[in-house]
Amino acid sequence: MARYLLGIDAGTGSVRALLVEVETGQTITACRKWKPRPSPEGLWAYDLDPESAWACIVEVVREALRKANASPSEVLGIAATSMRHTLVLIRNGETVFAVPNMDARAVAESMEIAAERGEAIYQQTGRWPSPNFMFPRLRWLLSYHPEILRDATALTLGDWIAYRLCGEKATDFSHAGESMLLDIHKREWIEGLVAELGLPLSLLPPIIPSGTILGRLTQPAAEALGLVPGTPVAVGGADTQCALLALGMLRHGEVAIVSGTTAPLQGVAEQPVLEPEGRLWTGLHTFPGRWVVESGAGPLGEALEWFAKLLFPDSPQPVARFIAEAKQAKPGSGGAISAFGVQIFNAKAMVFPAGAISTSHFLREAPRPALCRAILEGMAFAIRANLEQIAQVLGHPPRIAMTGGITRSPFWAQLVASVLGRPIEISLTPEATALGAAICAGVAAGVFKGLEEGVERLARVQLVHPDE
């Protein structure tokens, strides 16, 4: 009888379920696209519909089970991960507020906090104030909807999924480190910031290490998902940090690139390291005793998908067609230059990314293959620029690994390796965030003695060399 671990990943643009067979490492996935809805609260406000989210999760889990031909009893454990910088408030078992990572309704509050004591906040939390963190959002709620906070518990989307699975409320260190309410040095909630808001510390859930058993699958959740009641539910983690597990990135200085909807880069640190100018984020790894230093190249996947649909509206797979066109152009794209959808990360100057496309003055127009390649080259150089920012803090990376949906293209992996001028490791499973959650599930289920053994068993990569 096969044995599987289940990872549920609620990302920015989609939700997916991944089953990994314990003995072989084979993965089976199911995916549904989803999109947060604009909120009537303002121009930059977005809401999550919790019931629609749960319905998507049920669909992908059942589909993954069908595709794997797996019986419910063969699933040994479950864990969830999600996009970071979400906020879900629950009270008496009901979801009373839910927003995704793109929600920026608290922009004024984040600017006020930055003006009041941005540097002090950065030194303690590793975060320069930004509207997508929990602290500014709580201030916004206190100003506009204080009743929502009464007797509530603040969770991330991944925590909320775990709550729907087993009825227990908790978070992990990687998610907590994204909130702007955690002391990254002491690894504990900053009681003073919560008290300053006039809120009880009970608003924040307990912090439990990733891979710990949180509870067991309830009867209602099991019936919905087609699984066995009592299946262990593990504490998961933030999506990018879960990807670090699936890539085997545990040593100081190693850097992971997640080229999905967005393109965060995280370097592993053995202690909390702050970038002197406050341009980068410092947070916590899912692995105990590790921190992360983060930069980000912008919404690469989102921009690529948008532009591909614009160029090839009739193609059933616009991104694949886009990359096929790019492969026809020579390196350098005939002088075409693109900065479309990319950024060099600076946490103190967070802006909504805006892209630009230009061509050399030697050309009147760029042929379509050159234009496509120029966009991908611009994205690859954005990764290089952000990698160099991390290297300035942590030193030359001994390993670089990459995962995410775009890595399904060998051309993209080769291009990034060539732009970086060194070999990089590519995850054999593009859905590494979900695989990292499944590793957490394996620890809670007793399949692995700890996260390190889970990484050794399931983290699989292949080496890609730059073009000569």
Side-chain angles (χ1 to χ4, degrees), residues 232-294:
V233 176
V235 177
D239 55 2
T240 307
Q241 286 91 322
C242 278
L244 295 181
L245 292 179
L247 290 166
M249 310 301 275
L250 306 180
R251 294 185 301 157
H252 182 86
E254 295 178 335
V255 176
I257 305 159
V258 181
S259 55
T261 302
T262 58
L265 294 84
Q266 288 188 343
V268 180
E270 294 179 347
Q271 58 187 0
V273 182
L274 296 171
E275 199 275 327
E277 297 182 19
R279 296 175 300 173
L280 307 183
W281 288 339
T282 299
L284 276 70
H285 202 308
T286 44
F287 192 75
R290 297 290 187 274
W291 285 257
V292 294
V293 175
E294 179 171 348

Side-chain angles (χ1 to χ4, degrees), residues 72 84 86 90 98 172 194 212 232 266 306 334 398 414 418 434:
R84 300 171 295 160
T86 55
I90 58 173
D172 81 294
V194 182
T212 305
Q266 288 188 343
W306 180 88
Q414 186 84 59
S418 297

Side-chain angles (χ1 to χ4, degrees), residues 78 162 165-168 212-218 230-235 444:
I78 314 168
L165 295 173
C166 70
E168 299 294 333
T212 305
I213 185 166
L214 177 64
R216 295 188 177 272
L217 193 65
T218 65
T231 302
V233 176
V235 177

Side-chain angles (χ1 to χ4, degrees), residues 104-125:
R105 68 187 71 198
V107 63
E109 287 74 16
S110 66
M111 292 173 69
E112 290 168 1
I113 296 169
E116 292 165 3
R117 48 193 163 145
E119 187 61 35
I121 288 285
Y122 177 72
Q123 292 296 323
Q124 194 170 17
T125 70

Side-chain angles (χ1 to χ4, degrees), residues 298-316:
L300 298 194
E302 183 179 32
L304 178 59
E305 186 170 346
W306 180 88
F307 205 83
K309 288 180 179 178
L310 184 67
L311 284 183
F312 309 107
D314 299 325
S315 174

